[in-house]
């Protein structure tokens, strides 16, 4: 285990050039004291690792030092084949590049690993869109992907829910969520999120930009989506659910609402339970509750209960006999 960990530390430093002790500890799933001991052992073995002190300090390899560590474990080879998201690569115009890279990887593997890697690709498939939804294939997706990679500014005409806007931004990264593609672009040094399918026009400018050094796309996305969910659900509703409603709540509700829902009481004699759940606007909350049909009853707030009653009355006029 320790030999594998030492190799992992070396490959991380070789690939990234620099890493802090906490980062190495997280990557290797050990505590900081273990990392400090491992670094000392590697230095004593003649590996030119030096430390940088201070609040932003960490470890580096001596400039120019390289080591050949070409051996892959079976699980590592399988994981590399799993990382090839063919559908996403094709959408970005990189399908042939992805296939060529996988073929080169396979050809370089020992025969003992090649069979397992091929079986991994044949047994697992990623289908990103949710049920009853299609994956988006935005017209300008390849252009956006190229601008992200080349670090070129872009000028877009964007249709937001507030109206059409013109923007010049620095594309920092792309995210696919639920079958939809999003662009994280920097405007005035502030990252913002844009749905690529809503880009009406785009021009890739002949202007390069420098990426902000500490920007972490995954961390930004996690933080921004969590904040968006909270901003969209600033109110709370108290609802009675039938046994069938309790069973179907994960299907009918968004993942955020389902995860934040709390049972307020034990089931009554008829099996109905009272829950509290975050909700957004009255219109959105009404539509969400109506999915349950007669398996849900809003108790609070009275404004939401009234809107649902009005919606039901409106449906009666449409479905009158």
């Amino acid at each position: 285990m320790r030999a594998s960990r030492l190799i992992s530390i070396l490959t991380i430093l070789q690939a990234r050039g620099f890493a802090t002790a906490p980062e190495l500890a997280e990557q290797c799933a050990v505590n900081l004291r273990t990392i400090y001991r491992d670094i000392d052992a590697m230095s004593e073995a003649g590996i030119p690792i030096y430390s940088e002190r201070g609040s932003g300090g960490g470890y580096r390899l001596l400039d120019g030092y390289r080591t050949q560590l070409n051996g892959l474990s079976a699980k590592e080879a399988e994981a590399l084949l799993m990382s090839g998201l063919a559908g996403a690569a094709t959408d970005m115009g990189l399908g042939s590049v992805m296939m060529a890279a996988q073929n080169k990887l396979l050809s370089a593997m020992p025969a003992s690993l090649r069979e397992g890697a091929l079986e991994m690709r044949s047994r697992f498939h990623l289908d990103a869109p949710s049920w009853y939804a299609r994956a988006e294939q935005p017209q300008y997706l390849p252009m956006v992907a190229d601008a992200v990679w080349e670090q070129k500014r872009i000028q877009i005409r964007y249709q937001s829910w507030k109206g059409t806007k013109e923007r010049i931004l620095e594309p920092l990264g792309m995210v696919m969520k639920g079958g939809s593609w999003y662009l994280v672009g920097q405007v005035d040094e502030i990252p913002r999120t844009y749905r690529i399918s809503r880009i009406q026009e785009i021009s890739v400018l002949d202007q390069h930009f420098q990426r902000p050094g500490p920007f972490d796309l995954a961390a930004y996305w996690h933080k921004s989506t969590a904040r968006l969910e909270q901003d969209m659900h600033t109110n709370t509703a108290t609802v009675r659910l039938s046994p069938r409603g309790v069973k179907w709540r994960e299907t009918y509700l968004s993942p955020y609402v389902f995860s934040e829902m709390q049972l307020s009481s034990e089931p009554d004699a008829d099996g109905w339970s009272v829950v509290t759940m975050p909700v957004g606007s009255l219109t959105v909350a009404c539509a969400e509750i109506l999915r349950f049909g007669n398996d849900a009853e809003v108790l609070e707030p009275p404004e939401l209960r009234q809107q649902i009653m009005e919606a039901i009355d409106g449906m009666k006029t449409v479905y009158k006999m």
Side-chain angles (χ1 to χ4, degrees):
M1 289 294 292
R2 190 186 189 199
S4 176
R5 190 172 64 249
L6 295 178
I7 292 175
S8 294
I9 293 172
L10 184 55
T11 55
I12 291 170
L13 294 175
Q14 186 166 290
R16 296 171 52 180
F18 174 85
T20 66
E23 289 172 341
L24 292 173
E26 181 179 1
Q27 290 284 327
C28 298
V30 294
N31 58 41
L32 286 175
R33 295 179 65 181
T34 300
I35 291 297
Y36 296 146
R37 288 196 297 267
D38 288 345
I39 294 294
D40 290 340
M42 295 170 72
S43 297
E44 291 174 2
I47 297 175
I49 297 179
Y50 67 93
S51 62
E52 296 181 354
R53 299 186 180 277
S55 59
Y59 298 102
R60 294 183 184 274
L61 289 172
L62 184 68
D63 290 344
Y65 178 82
R66 304 291 294 175
T67 183
Q68 298 297 322
L69 296 171
N70 296 325
L72 290 174
S73 71
K75 288 297 182 184
E76 289 170 340
E78 293 166 3
L80 285 174
L81 267 294
M82 277 285 287
S83 68
L85 307 183
T90 300
D91 289 345
M92 291 187 290
L94 299 173
S96 59
V97 177
M98 176 68 74
M99 184 60 68
Q102 289 192 352
N103 288 336
K104 288 180 180 179
L105 176 61
L106 286 170
S107 65
M109 287 180 184
S112 59
L113 299 182
R114 193 178 305 141
E115 182 178 352
L118 285 171
E119 287 184 1
M120 178 68 75
R121 187 165 62 178
S122 69
R123 297 184 188 187
F124 296 92
H125 171 68
L126 174 66
D127 186 9
S130 59
W131 285 103
Y132 317 118
R134 290 187 176 183
E136 293 181 346
Q137 293 183 322
Q139 176 183 358
Y140 299 115
L141 183 61
M143 293 180 65
V144 173
D146 186 64
V148 170
W149 186 252
E150 297 294 334
Q151 292 184 209
K152 285 188 174 182
R153 292 186 176 90
I154 60 175
Q155 182 173 355
I156 64 172
R157 177 180 293 169
Y158 184 76
Q159 180 65 49
S160 72
W161 64 277
K162 293 183 178 179
T164 303
K165 299 180 179 180
E166 297 276 353
R167 287 283 188 272
I168 294 179
L169 54 87
E170 298 172 343
L172 301 177
M174 296 165 57
V175 176
M176 183 173 65
K177 180 178 177 63
S180 299
W181 283 98
Y182 295 87
L183 167 67
V184 178
Q186 183 171 257
V187 180
D188 297 329
E189 300 184 355
I190 300 175
R192 306 170 189 263
T193 303
Y194 303 86
R195 190 164 177 167
I196 296 178
S197 63
R198 294 179 182 169
I199 296 177
Q200 298 180 334
E201 292 183 13
I202 182 173
S203 297
V204 179
L205 307 179
D206 192 20
Q207 301 174 6
H208 291 272
F209 67 92
Q210 292 294 322
R211 290 176 58 83
F215 183 72
D216 185 326
L217 178 62
Y220 163 82
W221 183 258
H222 177 76
K223 184 177 180 179
S224 65
T225 51
R227 184 175 62 249
L228 177 62
E229 292 280 15
Q230 292 176 353
D231 292 344
M232 291 177 63
H233 300 86
T234 55
N235 302 307
T236 302
T238 304
V239 182
R240 288 181 70 237
L241 292 178
S242 72
R244 185 167 57 181
V246 172
K247 178 180 178 181
W248 285 97
R249 56 191 172 142
E250 185 173 6
T251 302
Y252 291 152
L253 299 173
S254 70
Y256 175 80
V257 174
F258 174 75
S259 65
E260 297 295 319
M261 174 183 285
Q262 296 181 355
L263 288 173
S264 301
S265 69
E266 295 295 327
D268 61 20
D270 296 322
W272 285 63
S273 302
V274 177
V275 301
T276 56
M277 53 186 285
V279 294
S281 66
L282 289 177
T283 301
V284 174
C286 179
E288 198 160 37
I289 298 298
L290 284 175
R291 294 176 186 171
F292 289 86
N294 61 353
D295 289 306
E297 177 193 3
V298 173
L299 303 179
E300 297 286 346
E303 298 85 359
L304 178 56
R305 183 180 177 91
Q306 179 64 33
Q307 184 150 339
I308 289 180
M309 292 171 61
E310 292 174 358
I312 294 172
D313 289 339
M315 293 173 65
K316 288 180 180 178
T317 62
V318 173
Y319 289 96
K320 60 184 178 181
M321 298 298 293

mmCIF file of all heavy atoms in Angstrom, residues 5-48:
data_model
loop_
_atom_site.group_PDB
_atom_site.id
_atom_site.type_symbol
_atom_site.label_atom_id
_atom_site.label_comp_id
_atom_site.label_asym_id
_atom_site.label_seq_id
_atom_site.Cartn_x
_atom_site.Cartn_y
_atom_site.Cartn_z
ATOM 1 N N ARG A 5 1.197 4.320 -2.744
ATOM 2 C CA ARG A 5 0.950 5.706 -2.364
ATOM 3 C C ARG A 5 2.112 6.604 -2.773
ATOM 4 O O ARG A 5 1.912 7.730 -3.236
ATOM 5 C CB ARG A 5 0.706 5.791 -0.863
ATOM 6 C CG ARG A 5 0.216 7.147 -0.412
ATOM 7 C CD ARG A 5 -0.193 7.145 1.049
ATOM 8 N NE ARG A 5 0.907 6.884 1.959
ATOM 9 C CZ ARG A 5 1.039 5.778 2.683
ATOM 10 N NH1 ARG A 5 0.141 4.813 2.595
ATOM 11 N NH2 ARG A 5 2.069 5.622 3.501
ATOM 12 N N LEU A 6 3.336 6.120 -2.610
ATOM 13 C CA LEU A 6 4.503 6.908 -3.001
ATOM 14 C C LEU A 6 4.502 7.171 -4.504
ATOM 15 O O LEU A 6 4.834 8.269 -4.959
ATOM 16 C CB LEU A 6 5.789 6.194 -2.586
ATOM 17 C CG LEU A 6 6.018 6.027 -1.082
ATOM 18 C CD1 LEU A 6 7.306 5.268 -0.815
ATOM 19 C CD2 LEU A 6 6.029 7.369 -0.373
ATOM 20 N N ILE A 7 4.112 6.160 -5.265
ATOM 21 C CA ILE A 7 4.026 6.336 -6.713
ATOM 22 C C ILE A 7 2.935 7.346 -7.059
ATOM 23 O O ILE A 7 3.099 8.182 -7.950
ATOM 24 C CB ILE A 7 3.767 4.983 -7.408
ATOM 25 C CG1 ILE A 7 5.003 4.086 -7.269
ATOM 26 C CG2 ILE A 7 3.408 5.184 -8.877
ATOM 27 C CD1 ILE A 7 4.803 2.685 -7.805
ATOM 28 N N SER A 8 1.829 7.294 -6.330
ATOM 29 C CA SER A 8 0.744 8.243 -6.574
ATOM 30 C C SER A 8 1.206 9.670 -6.311
ATOM 31 O O SER A 8 0.909 10.584 -7.091
ATOM 32 C CB SER A 8 -0.458 7.906 -5.677
ATOM 33 O OG SER A 8 -1.023 6.668 -6.035
ATOM 34 N N ILE A 9 1.934 9.874 -5.220
ATOM 35 C CA ILE A 9 2.442 11.216 -4.905
ATOM 36 C C ILE A 9 3.359 11.701 -6.022
ATOM 37 O O ILE A 9 3.269 12.848 -6.475
ATOM 38 C CB ILE A 9 3.177 11.213 -3.562
ATOM 39 C CG1 ILE A 9 2.197 10.935 -2.416
ATOM 40 C CG2 ILE A 9 3.915 12.525 -3.331
ATOM 41 C CD1 ILE A 9 2.866 10.735 -1.074
ATOM 42 N N LEU A 10 4.228 10.809 -6.485
ATOM 43 C CA LEU A 10 5.174 11.184 -7.537
ATOM 44 C C LEU A 10 4.455 11.534 -8.836
ATOM 45 O O LEU A 10 4.778 12.523 -9.496
ATOM 46 C CB LEU A 10 6.165 10.037 -7.765
ATOM 47 C CG LEU A 10 7.297 10.299 -8.770
ATOM 48 C CD1 LEU A 10 8.074 11.548 -8.384
ATOM 49 C CD2 LEU A 10 8.220 9.089 -8.835
ATOM 50 N N THR A 11 3.454 10.739 -9.213
ATOM 51 C CA THR A 11 2.735 11.019 -10.456
ATOM 52 C C THR A 11 1.909 12.305 -10.347
ATOM 53 O O THR A 11 1.777 13.045 -11.324
ATOM 54 C CB THR A 11 1.821 9.842 -10.836
ATOM 55 O OG1 THR A 11 0.941 9.545 -9.737
ATOM 56 C CG2 THR A 11 2.631 8.613 -11.173
ATOM 57 N N ILE A 12 1.358 12.581 -9.159
ATOM 58 C CA ILE A 12 0.605 13.822 -8.973
ATOM 59 C C ILE A 12 1.526 15.023 -9.154
ATOM 60 O O ILE A 12 1.195 15.979 -9.867
ATOM 61 C CB ILE A 12 -0.065 13.849 -7.587
ATOM 62 C CG1 ILE A 12 -1.195 12.814 -7.510
ATOM 63 C CG2 ILE A 12 -0.621 15.250 -7.277
ATOM 64 C CD1 ILE A 12 -1.731 12.610 -6.103
ATOM 65 N N LEU A 13 2.692 14.991 -8.515
ATOM 66 C CA LEU A 13 3.624 16.105 -8.637
ATOM 67 C C LEU A 13 4.151 16.231 -10.054
ATOM 68 O O LEU A 13 4.351 17.340 -10.570
ATOM 69 C CB LEU A 13 4.785 15.919 -7.655
ATOM 70 C CG LEU A 13 4.430 16.001 -6.168
ATOM 71 C CD1 LEU A 13 5.649 15.689 -5.316
ATOM 72 C CD2 LEU A 13 3.887 17.383 -5.831
ATOM 73 N N GLN A 14 4.365 15.109 -10.708
ATOM 74 C CA GLN A 14 4.878 15.141 -12.080
ATOM 75 C C GLN A 14 3.833 15.688 -13.039
ATOM 76 O O GLN A 14 4.151 16.425 -13.968
ATOM 77 C CB GLN A 14 5.307 13.734 -12.506
ATOM 78 C CG GLN A 14 5.994 13.678 -13.862
ATOM 79 C CD GLN A 14 6.683 12.343 -14.080
ATOM 80 O OE1 GLN A 14 7.683 12.051 -13.436
ATOM 81 N NE2 GLN A 14 6.133 11.544 -14.974
ATOM 82 N N ALA A 15 2.565 15.350 -12.804
ATOM 83 C CA ALA A 15 1.499 15.794 -13.705
ATOM 84 C C ALA A 15 1.116 17.239 -13.451
ATOM 85 O O ALA A 15 0.853 18.001 -14.387
ATOM 86 C CB ALA A 15 0.271 14.889 -13.553
ATOM 87 N N ARG A 16 1.064 17.651 -12.176
ATOM 88 C CA ARG A 16 0.562 18.981 -11.829
ATOM 89 C C ARG A 16 1.657 19.999 -11.585
ATOM 90 O O ARG A 16 1.408 21.205 -11.654
ATOM 91 C CB ARG A 16 -0.334 18.893 -10.596
ATOM 92 C CG ARG A 16 -1.594 18.070 -10.812
ATOM 93 C CD ARG A 16 -2.361 17.821 -9.538
ATOM 94 N NE ARG A 16 -2.632 19.042 -8.793
ATOM 95 C CZ ARG A 16 -3.284 19.068 -7.649
ATOM 96 N NH1 ARG A 16 -3.740 17.939 -7.107
ATOM 97 N NH2 ARG A 16 -3.502 20.209 -7.022
ATOM 98 N N GLY A 17 2.862 19.527 -11.271
ATOM 99 C CA GLY A 17 3.959 20.445 -11.019
ATOM 100 C C GLY A 17 4.039 20.931 -9.587
ATOM 101 O O GLY A 17 5.118 21.228 -9.091
ATOM 102 N N PHE A 18 2.899 21.018 -8.915
ATOM 103 C CA PHE A 18 2.858 21.545 -7.547
ATOM 104 C C PHE A 18 1.626 20.990 -6.846
ATOM 105 O O PHE A 18 0.570 20.835 -7.457
ATOM 106 C CB PHE A 18 2.790 23.078 -7.573
ATOM 107 C CG PHE A 18 2.609 23.707 -6.229
ATOM 108 C CD1 PHE A 18 3.698 23.957 -5.418
ATOM 109 C CD2 PHE A 18 1.333 24.041 -5.772
ATOM 110 C CE1 PHE A 18 3.530 24.537 -4.176
ATOM 111 C CE2 PHE A 18 1.160 24.623 -4.529
ATOM 112 C CZ PHE A 18 2.270 24.865 -3.721
ATOM 113 N N ALA A 19 1.759 20.700 -5.560
ATOM 114 C CA ALA A 19 0.609 20.255 -4.773
ATOM 115 C C ALA A 19 0.885 20.548 -3.306
ATOM 116 O O ALA A 19 2.024 20.452 -2.843
ATOM 117 C CB ALA A 19 0.331 18.765 -4.967
ATOM 118 N N THR A 20 -0.164 20.902 -2.583
ATOM 119 C CA THR A 20 -0.031 21.131 -1.147
ATOM 120 C C THR A 20 -0.167 19.810 -0.406
ATOM 121 O O THR A 20 -0.672 18.814 -0.959
ATOM 122 C CB THR A 20 -1.107 22.099 -0.642
ATOM 123 O OG1 THR A 20 -2.399 21.474 -0.789
ATOM 124 C CG2 THR A 20 -1.083 23.394 -1.429
ATOM 125 N N ALA A 21 0.274 19.794 0.838
ATOM 126 C CA ALA A 21 0.152 18.586 1.647
ATOM 127 C C ALA A 21 -1.311 18.172 1.833
ATOM 128 O O ALA A 21 -1.629 16.982 1.714
ATOM 129 C CB ALA A 21 0.842 18.780 2.999
ATOM 130 N N PRO A 22 -2.233 19.114 2.132
ATOM 131 C CA PRO A 22 -3.642 18.703 2.238
ATOM 132 C C PRO A 22 -4.187 18.110 0.945
ATOM 133 O O PRO A 22 -4.978 17.165 0.978
ATOM 134 C CB PRO A 22 -4.360 20.014 2.598
ATOM 135 C CG PRO A 22 -3.324 20.828 3.296
ATOM 136 C CD PRO A 22 -2.052 20.519 2.572
ATOM 137 N N GLU A 23 -3.780 18.648 -0.204
ATOM 138 C CA GLU A 23 -4.235 18.088 -1.485
ATOM 139 C C GLU A 23 -3.723 16.671 -1.669
ATOM 140 O O GLU A 23 -4.465 15.781 -2.108
ATOM 141 C CB GLU A 23 -3.761 18.976 -2.637
ATOM 142 C CG GLU A 23 -4.486 20.306 -2.721
ATOM 143 C CD GLU A 23 -3.878 21.244 -3.743
ATOM 144 O OE1 GLU A 23 -2.704 21.032 -4.131
ATOM 145 O OE2 GLU A 23 -4.561 22.200 -4.144
ATOM 146 N N LEU A 24 -2.469 16.427 -1.342
ATOM 147 C CA LEU A 24 -1.913 15.081 -1.462
ATOM 148 C C LEU A 24 -2.598 14.131 -0.489
ATOM 149 O O LEU A 24 -2.878 12.974 -0.839
ATOM 150 C CB LEU A 24 -0.401 15.115 -1.197
ATOM 151 C CG LEU A 24 0.455 15.835 -2.246
ATOM 152 C CD1 LEU A 24 1.897 15.940 -1.772
ATOM 153 C CD2 LEU A 24 0.390 15.112 -3.590
ATOM 154 N N ALA A 25 -2.882 14.603 0.714
ATOM 155 C CA ALA A 25 -3.563 13.755 1.700
ATOM 156 C C ALA A 25 -4.949 13.365 1.216
ATOM 157 O O ALA A 25 -5.378 12.216 1.375
ATOM 158 C CB ALA A 25 -3.641 14.479 3.043
ATOM 159 N N GLU A 26 -5.655 14.323 0.605
ATOM 160 C CA GLU A 26 -6.995 14.023 0.102
ATOM 161 C C GLU A 26 -6.944 13.041 -1.062
ATOM 162 O O GLU A 26 -7.735 12.103 -1.129
ATOM 163 C CB GLU A 26 -7.681 15.315 -0.341
ATOM 164 C CG GLU A 26 -9.097 15.104 -0.855
ATOM 165 C CD GLU A 26 -9.762 16.397 -1.274
ATOM 166 O OE1 GLU A 26 -9.103 17.462 -1.183
ATOM 167 O OE2 GLU A 26 -10.921 16.351 -1.693
ATOM 168 N N GLN A 27 -5.984 13.243 -1.972
ATOM 169 C CA GLN A 27 -5.857 12.355 -3.128
ATOM 170 C C GLN A 27 -5.498 10.930 -2.704
ATOM 171 O O GLN A 27 -5.981 9.967 -3.299
ATOM 172 C CB GLN A 27 -4.786 12.888 -4.084
ATOM 173 C CG GLN A 27 -5.168 14.156 -4.815
ATOM 174 C CD GLN A 27 -6.144 13.896 -5.941
ATOM 175 O OE1 GLN A 27 -6.100 12.854 -6.577
ATOM 176 N NE2 GLN A 27 -7.043 14.836 -6.175
ATOM 177 N N CYS A 28 -4.671 10.816 -1.680
ATOM 178 C CA CYS A 28 -4.198 9.491 -1.247
ATOM 179 C C CYS A 28 -5.022 8.906 -0.109
ATOM 180 O O CYS A 28 -4.760 7.784 0.335
ATOM 181 C CB CYS A 28 -2.731 9.582 -0.818
ATOM 182 S SG CYS A 28 -1.600 10.094 -2.139
ATOM 183 N N ALA A 29 -6.022 9.672 0.383
ATOM 184 C CA ALA A 29 -6.913 9.206 1.450
ATOM 185 C C ALA A 29 -6.137 8.843 2.721
ATOM 186 O O ALA A 29 -6.373 7.793 3.339
ATOM 187 C CB ALA A 29 -7.745 8.023 0.978
ATOM 188 N N VAL A 30 -5.195 9.709 3.103
ATOM 189 C CA VAL A 30 -4.441 9.510 4.339
ATOM 190 C C VAL A 30 -4.397 10.845 5.083
ATOM 191 O O VAL A 30 -4.836 11.870 4.572
ATOM 192 C CB VAL A 30 -3.009 9.004 4.064
ATOM 193 C CG1 VAL A 30 -3.044 7.607 3.448
ATOM 194 C CG2 VAL A 30 -2.254 9.980 3.155
ATOM 195 N N ASN A 31 -3.824 10.836 6.295
ATOM 196 C CA ASN A 31 -3.719 12.077 7.053
ATOM 197 C C ASN A 31 -2.434 12.824 6.693
ATOM 198 O O ASN A 31 -1.559 12.307 5.991
ATOM 199 C CB ASN A 31 -3.806 11.815 8.555
ATOM 200 C CG ASN A 31 -2.735 10.852 9.036
ATOM 201 O OD1 ASN A 31 -1.575 10.918 8.617
ATOM 202 N ND2 ASN A 31 -3.113 9.955 9.928
ATOM 203 N N LEU A 32 -2.324 14.060 7.187
ATOM 204 C CA LEU A 32 -1.176 14.898 6.840
ATOM 205 C C LEU A 32 0.139 14.326 7.354
ATOM 206 O O LEU A 32 1.173 14.402 6.668
ATOM 207 C CB LEU A 32 -1.390 16.310 7.409
ATOM 208 C CG LEU A 32 -2.428 17.179 6.691
ATOM 209 C CD1 LEU A 32 -2.625 18.491 7.443
ATOM 210 C CD2 LEU A 32 -1.986 17.466 5.264
ATOM 211 N N ARG A 33 0.129 13.736 8.533
ATOM 212 C CA ARG A 33 1.376 13.198 9.094
ATOM 213 C C ARG A 33 1.936 12.096 8.199
ATOM 214 O O ARG A 33 3.150 11.977 8.034
ATOM 215 C CB ARG A 33 1.124 12.682 10.510
ATOM 216 C CG ARG A 33 0.736 13.787 11.503
ATOM 217 C CD ARG A 33 0.473 13.232 12.883
ATOM 218 N NE ARG A 33 1.669 12.659 13.483
ATOM 219 C CZ ARG A 33 1.700 12.093 14.686
ATOM 220 N NH1 ARG A 33 0.588 12.040 15.414
ATOM 221 N NH2 ARG A 33 2.817 11.606 15.162
ATOM 222 N N THR A 34 1.039 11.311 7.612
ATOM 223 C CA THR A 34 1.489 10.256 6.695
ATOM 224 C C THR A 34 2.142 10.864 5.466
ATOM 225 O O THR A 34 3.178 10.373 4.978
ATOM 226 C CB THR A 34 0.308 9.367 6.283
ATOM 227 O OG1 THR A 34 -0.249 8.766 7.453
ATOM 228 C CG2 THR A 34 0.750 8.282 5.323
ATOM 229 N N ILE A 35 1.554 11.939 4.934
ATOM 230 C CA ILE A 35 2.133 12.604 3.764
ATOM 231 C C ILE A 35 3.518 13.155 4.090
ATOM 232 O O ILE A 35 4.469 13.001 3.298
ATOM 233 C CB ILE A 35 1.208 13.731 3.266
ATOM 234 C CG1 ILE A 35 -0.073 13.138 2.672
ATOM 235 C CG2 ILE A 35 1.915 14.604 2.221
ATOM 236 C CD1 ILE A 35 0.136 12.266 1.450
ATOM 237 N N TYR A 36 3.659 13.775 5.261
ATOM 238 C CA TYR A 36 4.968 14.323 5.647
ATOM 239 C C TYR A 36 6.018 13.206 5.727
ATOM 240 O O TYR A 36 7.154 13.379 5.255
ATOM 241 C CB TYR A 36 4.859 15.030 7.002
ATOM 242 C CG TYR A 36 3.951 16.242 6.996
ATOM 243 C CD1 TYR A 36 3.193 16.573 8.127
ATOM 244 C CD2 TYR A 36 3.842 17.049 5.866
ATOM 245 C CE1 TYR A 36 2.363 17.687 8.118
ATOM 246 C CE2 TYR A 36 2.998 18.163 5.861
ATOM 247 C CZ TYR A 36 2.258 18.472 6.987
ATOM 248 O OH TYR A 36 1.441 19.555 6.982
ATOM 249 N N ARG A 37 5.638 12.064 6.298
ATOM 250 C CA ARG A 37 6.580 10.932 6.383
ATOM 251 C C ARG A 37 6.925 10.418 4.982
ATOM 252 O O ARG A 37 8.087 10.075 4.700
ATOM 253 C CB ARG A 37 5.988 9.814 7.234
ATOM 254 C CG ARG A 37 5.937 10.131 8.735
ATOM 255 C CD ARG A 37 5.725 8.869 9.553
ATOM 256 N NE ARG A 37 4.444 8.242 9.240
ATOM 257 C CZ ARG A 37 3.326 8.470 9.910
ATOM 258 N NH1 ARG A 37 3.331 9.312 10.938
ATOM 259 N NH2 ARG A 37 2.198 7.859 9.589
ATOM 260 N N ASP A 38 5.911 10.354 4.108
ATOM 261 C CA ASP A 38 6.167 9.860 2.753
ATOM 262 C C ASP A 38 7.100 10.795 1.985
ATOM 263 O O ASP A 38 8.007 10.339 1.264
ATOM 264 C CB ASP A 38 4.848 9.720 1.983
ATOM 265 C CG ASP A 38 4.006 8.556 2.483
ATOM 266 O OD1 ASP A 38 4.562 7.698 3.205
ATOM 267 O OD2 ASP A 38 2.806 8.495 2.146
ATOM 268 N N ILE A 39 6.910 12.101 2.133
ATOM 269 C CA ILE A 39 7.782 13.060 1.443
ATOM 270 C C ILE A 39 9.217 12.916 1.936
ATOM 271 O O ILE A 39 10.173 12.936 1.148
ATOM 272 C CB ILE A 39 7.273 14.502 1.659
ATOM 273 C CG1 ILE A 39 5.919 14.711 0.972
ATOM 274 C CG2 ILE A 39 8.292 15.517 1.152
ATOM 275 C CD1 ILE A 39 5.964 14.642 -0.542
ATOM 276 N N ASP A 40 9.390 12.759 3.254
ATOM 277 C CA ASP A 40 10.740 12.570 3.807
ATOM 278 C C ASP A 40 11.373 11.302 3.247
ATOM 279 O O ASP A 40 12.564 11.294 2.884
ATOM 280 C CB ASP A 40 10.677 12.488 5.338
ATOM 281 C CG ASP A 40 10.334 13.835 5.975
ATOM 282 O OD1 ASP A 40 10.511 14.864 5.299
ATOM 283 O OD2 ASP A 40 9.891 13.842 7.144
ATOM 284 N N ALA A 41 10.603 10.235 3.162
ATOM 285 C CA ALA A 41 11.138 8.973 2.647
ATOM 286 C C ALA A 41 11.544 9.102 1.187
ATOM 287 O O ALA A 41 12.589 8.567 0.764
ATOM 288 C CB ALA A 41 10.084 7.866 2.807
ATOM 289 N N MET A 42 10.757 9.823 0.397
ATOM 290 C CA MET A 42 11.089 10.002 -1.020
ATOM 291 C C MET A 42 12.335 10.854 -1.187
ATOM 292 O O MET A 42 13.176 10.592 -2.057
ATOM 293 C CB MET A 42 9.898 10.633 -1.755
ATOM 294 C CG MET A 42 8.669 9.721 -1.795
ATOM 295 S SD MET A 42 7.173 10.552 -2.386
ATOM 296 C CE MET A 42 7.555 10.730 -4.134
ATOM 297 N N SER A 43 12.487 11.867 -0.340
ATOM 298 C CA SER A 43 13.690 12.711 -0.394
ATOM 299 C C SER A 43 14.932 11.902 -0.038
ATOM 300 O O SER A 43 15.976 12.030 -0.686
ATOM 301 C CB SER A 43 13.543 13.908 0.553
ATOM 302 O OG SER A 43 12.474 14.741 0.159
ATOM 303 N N GLU A 44 14.811 11.054 0.996
ATOM 304 C CA GLU A 44 15.941 10.220 1.399
ATOM 305 C C GLU A 44 16.308 9.219 0.316
ATOM 306 O O GLU A 44 17.467 8.792 0.209
ATOM 307 C CB GLU A 44 15.600 9.484 2.693
ATOM 308 C CG GLU A 44 15.489 10.407 3.907
ATOM 309 C CD GLU A 44 15.007 9.668 5.143
ATOM 310 O OE1 GLU A 44 14.795 8.433 5.038
ATOM 311 O OE2 GLU A 44 14.848 10.317 6.200
ATOM 312 N N ALA A 45 15.313 8.841 -0.519
ATOM 313 C CA ALA A 45 15.572 7.890 -1.604
ATOM 314 C C ALA A 45 16.168 8.568 -2.831
ATOM 315 O O ALA A 45 16.453 7.897 -3.822
ATOM 316 C CB ALA A 45 14.275 7.184 -1.993
ATOM 317 N N GLY A 46 16.377 9.892 -2.766
ATOM 318 C CA GLY A 46 17.032 10.584 -3.861
ATOM 319 C C GLY A 46 16.103 11.267 -4.848
ATOM 320 O O GLY A 46 16.568 11.808 -5.852
ATOM 321 N N ILE A 47 14.821 11.255 -4.595
ATOM 322 C CA ILE A 47 13.875 11.941 -5.484
ATOM 323 C C ILE A 47 13.904 13.430 -5.152
ATOM 324 O O ILE A 47 13.691 13.811 -3.997
ATOM 325 C CB ILE A 47 12.457 11.378 -5.326
ATOM 326 C CG1 ILE A 47 12.435 9.901 -5.733
ATOM 327 C CG2 ILE A 47 11.448 12.170 -6.166
ATOM 328 C CD1 ILE A 47 11.117 9.215 -5.505
ATOM 329 N N PRO A 48 14.183 14.279 -6.137
ATOM 330 C CA PRO A 48 14.381 15.711 -5.863
ATOM 331 C C PRO A 48 13.072 16.463 -5.630
ATOM 332 O O PRO A 48 12.570 17.181 -6.488
ATOM 333 C CB PRO A 48 15.092 16.212 -7.125
ATOM 334 C CG PRO A 48 14.600 15.304 -8.207
ATOM 335 C CD PRO A 48 14.412 13.950 -7.565
#
